Amino acid sequence: MPSVYIKTYGCQMNERDSEQVAYMFVSSGYSLARNEDEADVVLMNTCAVREKAELKALGKMGMLASRRDAPGHVVYGIMGCMAQNRREELFREIPRLDLVVGTQKYHRVFELADTLLQRRLHSAESVNKGQHLSETAEEKDAQNAIRNHLPRPAQASAFVSIMQGCGMNCSYCIVPATRGAERSRPAAEILDEVRRLAAQGVREVTLLGQIVNLYGKGEPLVGGRTAFVRLLEALNDIEGIARLRFTSPHPIGFGRDLVDAYRRLPKLCSHIHFPVQSGSDRILKLMRRPYRNEKYLRICDQLREARPDLAITTDIIVGFPGETDEDYLETKRLVERVQFDNAFIFQYSPRKDTPAAVMPGQIPPRLKAARNHDLLQTVNAIAVSKNARLVGTVQEVLVEGPSKGNAKKLSGRTPQNKTVILEGPPDLAGQIVPVRIAESTGFTLYGSPSKGR
Ligand code: SAH
Ligand code: SF4
Ligand code: F3S
């Protein structure tokens, strides 16, 4: 039985796409290799959002493809956003590379890789007679191909891609170039997929999209509700599913109907990852983000009114071209004002062919790093004090399985998306259990199942 190993970089969307690719290999008789050394096909699903992400994947693939001790028949492929972005150029960087597959061709990976492998195994064909294969064209309805899940025992949680691509043009961002135009899947197919997951025992689904609340944009409102809110309503009715999440929403198109969903839909979890990017309106404008801080803050306030225990997390870019000390301080003040439960802070990374890469006032790396470090301290202090307040409370924890750090313990998440490590028998995996929080080390909570409240 041939085997495949897939290494995934980047966002949840990439994780989900990798699962679809893995599904296609497994349903055609491949096994999943535990590591690259045992695999006949080695694939890397890549990210291009920052330079670091690209360098990491390039370095790793370069190293793997030049291993002397690997069998000659092994097929090497790069897929995902860096594949889409760099295309054939990758064959020059990594001569032993066989395959480059873009973000609208995930459903082709199995066939391409398997064809190469079979040829090599059965016709004594030697490697690299200039037989690189690359597929990076756009394909209509490719978003509908991301719909199968690997069966996993006691799986608690699953990602569901409800759309692909992005129709915005944030001046720093490569994603519209790597993922193409915004395209939504039909609601009926999404509902079917989630019903199948529920039938397998999955309790939580996270809907994925670059601007997930623009799902079904262009469809008329029904009773004042967008296609996205109507999808949430329909998902809320699926028996077996206990928790709904989505990522990432954007202030654009974030209407009262979505705020009200937090009042009406009990399965919607009390957490939202809501990227703000900057606390300075001047920088937001240069970023071509079509909202101002006042609007972002207003939505946060409305959400907290609708759901008082809502945890809010965010993405922030520091060191965007032209960012002054005062702009940076505005971001810091915003963090203090919103009291984020957590924030991912990124140092601006110039991406080729994006407008910000050639804007005046590029910030020196040391200043970016200093702002990153300073902001992280503010973010962490808030996160730590919020978690400390949970000690002594009882939280509903969806148990995901053994903890990565200590296989004798279990790991799960609260509705606010906080990780909890708990004691308990392994068969709690996939269940929602009340847990009394005994301790917080800052970012992780610890506790044990609680009988009384
Ligand atoms: N669609 C999402 C973001 C997807 S990219 C949204 O608009 O909210 C994930 C995060 O990467 C972004 O929120 C942004 O903070 C960061 N990012 C994107 N391009 C970047 C760049 N060139 N340099 C640094 N960070 C970047
Ligand atoms: Fe990138 Fe902006 Fe689209 Fe998000 S909304 S993916 S940051 S272009
Ligand atoms: Fe990276 Fe592509 Fe996701 S660039 S962040 S993997 S959409």
Side-chain angles (χ1 to χ4, degrees):
M1 196 199 267
S3 67
V4 62
Y5 178 76
I6 307 177
K7 168 99 188 134
T8 305
Y9 296 93
C11 61
Q12 289 117 322
M13 206 159 274
N14 260 18
E15 266 181 57
R16 176 67 196 110
D17 296 337
S18 288
E19 186 186 16
Q20 179 68 39
V21 173
Y23 170 86
M24 294 180 78
F25 277 88
V26 169
S27 58
S28 305
Y30 277 59
S31 66
L32 297 176
R34 270 168 305 169
N35 58 55
E36 58 257 21
D37 295 326
E38 296 170 4
D40 302 294
V41 175
V42 174
L43 299 172
M44 202 158 273
N45 197 6
T46 57
C47 173
V49 82
R50 285 169 291 275
E51 191 185 14
K52 247 198 217 151
E54 289 203 7
L55 294 178
K56 229 163 63 187
L58 275 174
K60 176 89 176 163
M61 195 45 135
M63 200 181 75
L64 289 179
S66 59
R67 288 172 301 170
R68 293 247 181 82
D69 49 350
H73 69 262
V74 175
V75 173
Y76 296 95
I78 293 187
M79 45 189 194
C81 290
M82 185 175 68
Q84 191 67 49
N85 194 28
R86 298 203 178 195
R87 306 187 186 205
E88 277 79 18
E89 170 196 324
L90 290 170
F91 294 125
R92 288 196 295 277
E93 299 219 20
I94 304 172
R96 176 64 178 78
L97 187 63
D98 301 296
L99 268 181
V100 169
V101 187
T103 53
Q104 303 193 29
K105 297 287 180 187
Y106 282 114
H107 53 288
R108 298 273 300 139
V109 175
F110 167 71
E111 196 188 321
L112 296 169
D114 186 58
T115 305
L116 277 179
L117 182 68
Q118 298 308 331
R119 263 196 236 153
R120 283 187 193 158
L121 289 174
H122 301 300
S123 67
E125 181 180 294
S126 65
V127 175
N128 249 347
K129 287 194 205 142
Q131 288 200 328
H132 304 141
L133 297 179
S134 115
E135 286 214 14
T136 51
E138 288 178 15
E139 184 175 322
K140 191 171 173 300
D141 294 336
Q143 74 274 20
N144 299 341
I146 311 298
R147 60 175 186 208
N148 302 107
H149 294 256
L150 282 172
R152 273 180 276 168
Q155 182 183 355
S157 181
F159 291 137
V160 173
S161 273
I162 63 169
M163 59 207 291
Q164 288 282 342
C166 181
M168 304 304 284
N169 58 350
C170 302
S171 60
Y172 51 82
C173 186
I174 192 91
V175 171
T178 64
R179 289 269 167 182
E182 183 180 277
R183 295 146 290 140
S184 296
R185 292 175 61 200
E189 290 186 18
I190 298 167
L191 293 171
D192 268 355
E193 182 176 334
V194 175
R195 281 191 204 104
R196 283 199 307 272
L197 288 167
Q200 286 169 31
V202 168
R203 309 299 314 276
E204 174 185 89
V205 294
T206 304
L207 310 178
L208 304 179
Q210 290 302 344
I211 300 188
V212 72
N213 51 311
L214 290 187
Y215 169 81
K217 190 175 67 191
E219 280 182 39
L221 299 183
V222 177
R225 284 128 55 237
T226 57
F228 180 62
V229 170
R230 282 180 276 134
L231 180 67
L232 290 175
E233 287 168 1
L235 291 166
N236 191 75
D237 287 340
I238 294 181
E239 215 173 300
I241 297 298
R243 291 182 169 189
L244 293 172
R245 302 179 186 276
F246 53 80
T247 194
S248 293
H250 189 295
I252 192 170
F254 202 121
R256 261 336 260 244
D257 59 330
L258 185 48
V259 172
D260 284 341
Y262 281 89
R263 282 197 187 91
R264 294 191 295 117
L265 305 181
K267 294 182 183 176
L268 207 49
C269 286
S270 289
H271 167 236
I272 190 164
H273 182 70
F274 192 27
V276 65
Q277 312 301 357
S278 172
S280 153
D281 282 344
R282 205 179 65 80
I283 295 296
L284 285 177
K285 206 162 165 195
L286 289 171
M287 286 177 164
R288 300 192 189 157
R289 298 279 293 186
Y291 56 88
R292 299 296 163 254
N293 272 277
E294 194 216 327
K295 175 166 181 182
Y296 181 87
L297 289 168
R298 192 179 345 121
I299 296 171
C300 290
D301 289 346
Q302 289 171 350
L303 284 168
R304 280 186 169 143
E305 199 193 315
R307 191 64 83 79
D309 69 340
L310 187 76
I312 305 178
T313 58
T314 198
D315 289 346
I316 294 168
I317 297 176
V318 293
F320 186 83
E323 186 185 70
T324 62
D325 285 341
E326 181 49 33
D327 292 317
Y328 166 68
L329 287 174
E330 284 191 53
T331 298
K332 197 165 157 173
R333 282 196 287 270
L334 176 93
V335 167
E336 280 158 355
R337 156 88 156 76
V338 181
Q339 293 279 303
F340 293 110
D341 288 74
N342 205 353
F344 295 101
I345 305 167
F346 303 109
Q347 297 178 34
Y348 168 68
S349 170
R351 310 313 292 135
K352 199 157 83 60
D353 299 330
T354 60
V358 291
M359 280 182 185
Q362 299 284 327
I363 306 294
R366 276 169 83 202
L367 185 52
K368 286 185 207 174
R371 286 177 183 166
N372 184 350
H373 178 77
D374 182 65
L375 193 58
L376 198 59
Q377 289 189 324
T378 305
V379 165
N380 286 353
I382 296 168
V384 167
S385 83
K386 287 205 159 191
N387 286 345
R389 271 178 252 155
L390 295 174
V391 172
T393 65
V394 173
Q395 299 286 323
E396 297 291 319
V397 174
L398 173 56
V399 180
E400 287 164 354
S403 149
K404 279 193 193 110
N406 178 352
K408 284 194 200 123
K409 298 200 170 179
L410 298 166
S411 166
R413 274 172 302 127
T414 69
Q416 292 186 323
N417 211 33
K418 315 230 179 215
T419 300
V420 178
I421 307 295
L422 64 147
E423 318 270 353
D427 63 2
L428 286 184
Q431 296 186 38
I432 295 177
V433 288
V435 172
R436 185 169 298 279
I437 305 300
E439 196 191 337
S440 162
T441 55
F443 301 99
T444 308
L445 305 170
Y446 294 83
S448 6
S450 134
K451 288 185 192 86
R453 304 243 140 175

